[in-house]
Amino acid sequence: MNDSQRAIDVRDVTKTYSLGDVKVEALRGVTFTIARGEYVAIMGPSGSGKSTLMNLLGCLDRPTTGQYFLDGSDVSTLGDDQLAAIRLKKLGFVFQGFNLLPRTSALKNVALPLFYAGIRAKTRNATAADQLREVGLGDRMDHKPSELSGGQQQRVAIARALVNDPAVVLADEPTGNLDSQTSEEIMALFHHLNDGGRTIIMVTHDEDVAGHARRIIRLRDGRIVDDQVTGKG
Amino acid sequence: MRLTQYFAEAFAVLAGNKIRTLLTALGLIIGVMAVIAIQVLGAGMSGAITGILGAFSDRTFFVLPNQQQADFTRAAIRLSDLQRAKYEVPNVVEAIPASAQNLRGSYGHTSRRVSVGAGTDERFAASTPIRYGRKLDPDDITLARHVCVITQKAAVKLRITGDPTGGSLRVGEHRYRIVGVLGASTEGILPGPAAYDVAIPYTTYEREFARARAIVFARVLMDDPSKVTETEIAMQNWLKKVKGGRVEYQTFDRKSFSKAIDGIFGAVTFVVALIGAVSLLVAGIGILNIMLVSVAERTREIGLRKAIGATRFQVLLQFFIEALALSAFGCLVGMLLGVAIGAFVNGQFIVKLSGITAPIPWARSIVIATGFATVVTLAFGTYPAWRAATLDPIEALRYE
């Protein structure tokens, strides 16, 4: 696999937090690559460092040491506003709690990243509408989050994550707040997106959910203990 | 990314929480309203009074013993002094006591407290219109007749309808024949024939109410109003000489009155505007408070916005513009109310009572009030916006 095929390239990354006098080593040297079009689950018990890794991959935080290449460029030493620009252009986030703006229509929610990208309202709304149709919510565009079911809200969040055509979609426990039936629907949607070429990284502690991914990276005490391809795909 | 979109979003947020928005803006509304209304009314009052002074003849001035002297009683003016003044002081045509007291007045079966004062012929009054009968004339003065001229206000007070001239009005222990009723006066607050409910010839007044008592205020009529300063000094010096020196007098004319009144209104307007400014400051703290609450409540939202790529500046701008929109709403409503109240009170009371329409500095009042409100908002809106902008997205997303 050459560099241009790598969506993510993490090289010997560590992350140390200072809690007063105590130093907490959340990541103790993690190295892996994720190619474009992969569908990867990151698993591990609480305290294993998977949330820390997710924050680093999501450019919400910087590694203490090591390098992180996202879509070919080193983002490990960028400043806050540069990281914001990277998140805007190259990443899409899906959260456990959906994190939709209340009292705001599905369409406006999906269009939000485009607002920060400085795109005109007309284009914004058209792109957001396309994306909502893509996740099967073409008939719910003017509904507010409170008028949508949990599964529908998560679809809106997924549409928002995709609207800026990101290099990587990061999903943090995307089915954590959903019942099993709805979870299956969301998993099916991720599959569909992955089939369409999207790179998806999902953090979860649920084996069933992780089983949908084509590759599982397991963390324990800040290190990768297992990295294997599932039978899927 | 256009500012209008930030404003649109800010207004949407404010509209989504109407009660809170209204309560927060209320402080601002009241502050802006008060500052505008006070300035308008101050200008209206001061203009009205200056206008009233315009009606006060510039051929007259007042003279009185200086209040701050060792032996005040030595300086007391008597009617006999005043009667000599016109022969001995150049440019003085007449000098009369300006004095009044409140007594029970009765007409028919109606009895009310009225002010009765020393009046004189029309040379002293500028141009008071007469409704019925006539004004006091020189003969009334010389002969100290038992006649009186009443104001329209007094006529209403005593329930007099129609033309009462020739009728008898009882004041205290004396009876006076009504010879005239004055029309609406513009002389207002100044001691003068038109300001007393009942004006009787000053000679009569002297005999029946003042007797030999000292006169506190005297009015002096001049022949040439351009020599007012010289005449005032001459009058003071002449009185001093008559009283054997070591006494002090002071004089007031139209100019010194209007100067004093402008000073008073300037001070009152300033103090009340200061109170308005303080209320705007309090309103600013209200905005600060509510914006901090808003930032805290929307921590997750801020985390989300930052996660999907909003820069610190964009978040700052969003909350800053929200504070600005709140302020704009408060200023607009406050401005409309302030202008409406100012215009209403000025039109219905000040102009109606004084008969004078003073120029009102509308633009200046509005600019001062909204300008100060904006400065306050900018000052207090920045901190919450900065807090929002510097939130850590990871912490913010985890916030419950």
Side-chain angles (χ1 to χ4, degrees):
Chain A
M1 179 165 70
N2 64 41
D3 277 6
S4 65
Q5 288 173 311
R6 287 173 187 157
I8 280 174
D9 184 351
V10 175
R11 297 180 190 171
D12 199 24
V13 159
T14 69
K15 183 72 190 178
T16 309
Y17 294 109
S18 301
L19 294 174
D21 294 339
V22 189
K23 294 230 187 255
V24 180
E25 291 183 71
L27 291 176
R28 300 163 189 250
V30 173
T31 302
F32 63 92
T33 59
I34 293 172
R36 289 179 204 282
E38 272 200 272
Y39 184 3
V40 182
I42 296 174
M43 292 201 72
S46 45
S48 62
K50 63 180 192 297
S51 291
T52 306
L53 181 59
M54 194 67 172
N55 289 336
L56 289 176
L57 293 179
C59 291
L60 293 165
D61 208 350
R62 279 171 290 262
T64 309
T65 64
Q67 283 180 300
Y68 169 30
F69 294 86
L70 173 64
D71 203 26
S73 53
D74 187 357
V75 296
S76 35
T77 57
L78 295 180
D80 284 353
D81 285 343
Q82 288 165 306
L83 285 181
I86 295 286
R87 293 196 295 269
L88 182 63
K89 285 188 208 122
K90 304 211 164 169
L91 294 167
F93 287 90
V94 178
F95 303 93
Q96 178 175 358
F98 319 139
N99 280 330
L100 297 176
L101 299 187
R103 296 187 290 268
T104 307
S105 71
L107 188 74
K108 285 261 167 67
N109 263 295
V110 173
L112 193 61
L114 302 176
F115 169 70
Y116 289 118
I119 288 162
R120 294 161 47 94
K122 222 172 179 175
T123 321
R124 248 172 23 217
N125 290 340
T127 315
D130 284 347
Q131 206 61 59
L132 273 170
R133 277 191 281 273
E134 180 99 12
V135 300
L137 287 176
D139 56 342
R140 293 282 190 280
M141 290 190 196
D142 296 325
H143 287 55
K144 303 204 163 71
S146 56
E147 298 157 356
L148 296 170
S149 73
Q152 287 170 332
Q153 288 185 56
Q154 193 61 303
R155 282 166 188 273
V156 173
I158 291 168
R160 183 181 61 196
L162 296 171
V163 79
N164 57 344
D165 192 23
V168 175
V169 175
L170 291 164
D172 189 357
E173 300 278 8
T175 58
N177 284 10
L178 302 174
D179 60 55
S180 54
Q181 160 102 44
T182 317
S183 295
E184 285 300 323
E185 286 170 25
I186 294 297
M187 284 301 112
L189 179 57
F190 276 126
H191 256 289
H192 172 70
L193 294 173
N194 182 238
D195 290 340
R198 293 274 174 209
T199 311
I200 298 168
I201 303 173
M202 179 169 66
V203 168
T204 182
H205 61 266
D206 185 332
E207 287 288 348
D208 289 346
V209 171
H212 288 275
R214 300 177 212 269
R215 176 181 164 195
I216 301 178
I217 296 174
R218 288 177 201 274
L219 289 176
R220 184 179 288 272
D221 298 330
R223 290 197 177 86
I224 295 177
V225 292
D226 187 33
D227 186 348
Q228 63 176 35
V229 175
T230 63
K232 288 261 177 181
Chain B
M1 170 184 54
R2 292 175 183 82
L3 276 182
T4 49
Q5 285 166 358
Y6 279 90
F7 271 105
E9 193 158 341
F11 278 115
V13 168
L14 295 177
N17 213 331
K18 287 192 184 68
I19 300 230
R20 190 164 88 182
T21 301
L22 198 68
L23 289 177
T24 312
L26 201 59
L28 215 58
I29 291 172
I30 291 171
V32 170
M33 181 184 85
V35 171
I36 291 177
I38 287 310
Q39 290 185 80
V40 167
L41 295 185
M45 285 291 274
S46 161
I49 287 164
T50 312
I52 287 166
L53 289 169
F56 165 44
S57 166
D58 59 1
R59 289 182 62 202
T60 64
F61 66 86
F62 288 86
V63 59
L64 67 158
N66 198 325
Q67 309 291 300
Q68 287 149 343
Q69 56 183 313
D71 195 355
F72 186 75
T73 47
R74 278 177 63 97
I77 305 167
R78 288 173 199 286
L79 185 63
S80 53
D81 301 330
L82 293 179
Q83 281 167 340
R84 279 167 61 200
K86 63 179 163 185
Y87 303 112
E88 301 187 12
V89 185
N91 197 28
V92 169
V93 174
E94 186 94 77
I96 62 156
S99 176
Q101 49 192 287
N102 287 317
L103 289 169
R104 183 149 290 274
S106 313
Y107 182 86
H109 296 292
T110 312
S111 174
R112 293 278 183 278
R113 276 192 89 76
V114 292
S115 64
V116 52
T120 184
D121 57 87
E122 61 187 323
R123 285 171 304 163
F124 276 76
S127 54
T128 317
I130 192 102
R131 187 122 185 257
Y132 297 115
R134 61 170 176 85
K135 296 182 182 179
L136 296 177
D137 62 26
D139 281 354
D140 295 329
I141 312 285
T142 334
L143 301 172
R145 280 180 182 149
H146 277 155
V147 293
C148 68
V149 172
I150 63 171
T151 58
Q152 208 176 355
K153 209 175 81 193
V156 172
K157 227 197 283 190
L158 291 164
R159 298 204 186 135
I160 296 171
T161 47
D163 182 357
T165 53
S168 169
L169 176 69
R170 187 186 165 89
V171 179
E173 291 160 15
H174 306 281
R175 288 194 164 275
Y176 301 93
R177 189 164 51 86
I178 299 172
V179 293
V181 179
L182 294 176
S185 160
T186 54
E187 206 162 332
I189 58 155
L190 288 176
Y196 310 137
D197 289 335
V198 178
I200 59 174
Y202 72 89
T203 42
T204 317
Y205 183 89
E206 167 69 16
R207 207 170 59 201
E208 288 171 352
F209 296 106
R211 300 223 170 76
R213 265 185 291 155
I215 293 155
V216 179
F217 259 102
R219 302 178 74 208
V220 179
L221 177 70
M222 293 173 288
D223 187 31
D224 179 1
S226 68
K227 288 186 187 151
V228 59
T229 316
E230 297 96 302
T231 313
E232 282 176 15
I233 293 167
M235 185 71 190
Q236 287 185 31
N237 290 337
W238 178 79
L239 278 168
K240 265 194 226 177
K241 202 182 77 193
V242 167
K243 299 291 171 189
R246 282 189 308 170
V247 287
E248 296 293 332
Y249 293 92
Q250 60 190 100
T251 48
F252 276 112
D253 52 44
R254 192 174 83 182
K255 253 191 271 165
S256 46
F257 260 118
S258 58
K259 235 158 101 184
I261 282 160
D262 277 357
I264 292 166
F265 272 93
V268 169
T269 306
F270 178 74
V271 168
V272 181
L274 207 65
I275 295 169
V278 169
S279 85
L280 281 178
L281 209 65
V282 174
I285 295 168
I287 289 177
L288 172 71
N289 186 32
I290 215 72
M291 290 306 296
L292 282 176
V293 168
S294 177
V295 168
E297 270 183 359
R298 288 153 68 193
T299 300
R300 277 179 78 92
E301 177 194 320
I302 295 162
L304 177 269
R305 285 174 186 274
K306 296 191 98 175
I308 63 171
T311 60
R312 280 175 301 185
F313 179 71
Q314 286 171 324
V315 174
L316 185 96
L317 205 60
Q318 183 197 341
F319 279 87
F320 192 67
I321 283 175
E322 202 173 306
L324 215 59
L326 192 60
S327 159
F329 168 69
C331 280
L332 191 72
V333 177
M335 189 184 90
L336 292 177
L337 285 176
V339 167
I341 289 173
F344 176 76
V345 175
N346 188 48
Q348 288 297 305
F349 296 96
I350 298 176
V351 171
K352 221 173 227 180
L353 290 182
S354 70
I356 287 148
T357 311
I360 304 290
W362 293 109
R364 197 196 65 186
S365 309
I366 291 167
V367 166
I368 288 177
T370 55
F372 188 72
T374 309
V375 168
V376 163
T377 312
L378 295 186
F380 287 105
T382 309
Y383 174 63
W386 176 81
R387 277 248 310 230
T390 51
L391 276 177
D392 176 33
I394 299 170
E395 295 291 324
L397 278 168
R398 218 179 279 153
Y399 185 87
E400 290 302 324

